[in-house]
Amino acid sequence: MGGQSTAFPLHGSVDTGLLRHIRRFSWIYAPSLADLGFAVRTSCAAILSLLIAMWMELDSPQWAPLTVWVVAQSSRGESLSKARWRIVGTLAGGVAAITLMAAFPQAPVMFFTCLALWIGLCCALATLLDQYRAYGLVLTGFTSAIIATGAILQPDDVFAVSVARSSYIILGVLCEAVLAVLFMPNMVERTRAQLQARLDDTFQATCAAIPQLLGMTAPVARQAATGRLLDRIMAFSGQIEFAALELGPRNRVGDHARRALAGMLVMLAHARALQILSPGPMPAPCPRMKRPSARWPHGCAIMRPRPTRTTWPRGPGSRLPWR
């Protein structure tokens, strides 16, 4: 057995690497229940949108199921946000294409110049936004190009092309939204529980990371740890928008979650201020404090009640300390 292990020292590592690569494709041969439900829901929505588009005798019915596959996301909030900004971008792009075609009907040089400037402006403004707002601006630019170039041979039909393009997008979005509501019951309660659990995890991570930051002396390690914590908080802040869409317009849970994240950022800012005021390492936290918020260095001294006034002993033979 010893000779066999010496002759083939890489046998076990090769098997481990092969299994690791096979597990990467587990979503194909062993999909989870959530992935399977998402695939079935999106397929049904795409087929339904294609049948409705063919029943309406639209010119290019394939755009409706394509919109379903583009808009569909694993999170319902992400789907709603992407669908909303896709509709806004499509309508704005259609209006821009009609305006350009009406402004330069017999001037192709000016038409293509203004179209290129418009697309560049949309892409430039998209870099200033985040989430699917940037996606909506980029979509506005290339939707204008699709509609405007599609009506070059027949400029009088630009309005019909714009309406048809908008119809495909809105039909696909509505089909995906209806099937998502049917396949995802109790969405509000589940979203509220997930938001609360992730908020608790982020708060625990913040409370655990601040004492470590205060105990670090190397500037590079301190900046790296601070950056990781900030990335985690900001990533969660971006996901709150999607959770708020799932909870509904009248629910204020998202606002309270953002306020809680702002409090965590204030804690991190105070820790940074302590680092600046005390360049050396802080003492170890007090072991008697059990709560996460009391794991900070000097927590015992901060939490210990202090006297509000000083009383000196008085009596016939008492003297004040400065006398």
Side-chain angles (χ1 to χ4, degrees), residues 125-205:
L125 294 177
T127 60
L128 304 177
L129 300 177
D130 58 350
Q131 304 292 348
Y132 291 111
R133 300 177 187 86
Y135 169 77
L137 270 176
V138 174
L139 185 70
T140 300
F142 72 75
T143 299
S144 303
I146 291 175
I147 295 176
T149 55
I152 287 179
L153 298 179
Q154 296 179 349
D156 295 337
D157 296 338
V158 62
F159 181 77
V161 174
S162 177
V163 171
R165 175 77 181 181
S166 303
S167 301
Y168 306 143
I169 303 301
I170 295 176
L171 177 60
V173 168
L174 290 179
C175 291
E176 197 276 335
V178 171
L179 268 295
V181 172
L182 296 178
F183 275 77
M184 300 178 67
N186 302 325
M187 181 177 61
V188 176
E189 291 79 6
R190 183 169 59 253
T191 302
R192 187 190 299 270
Q194 293 176 355
L195 183 62
Q196 181 66 34
R198 187 166 183 181
L199 185 62
D200 292 340
D201 293 340
T202 307
F203 178 70
Q204 296 291 338

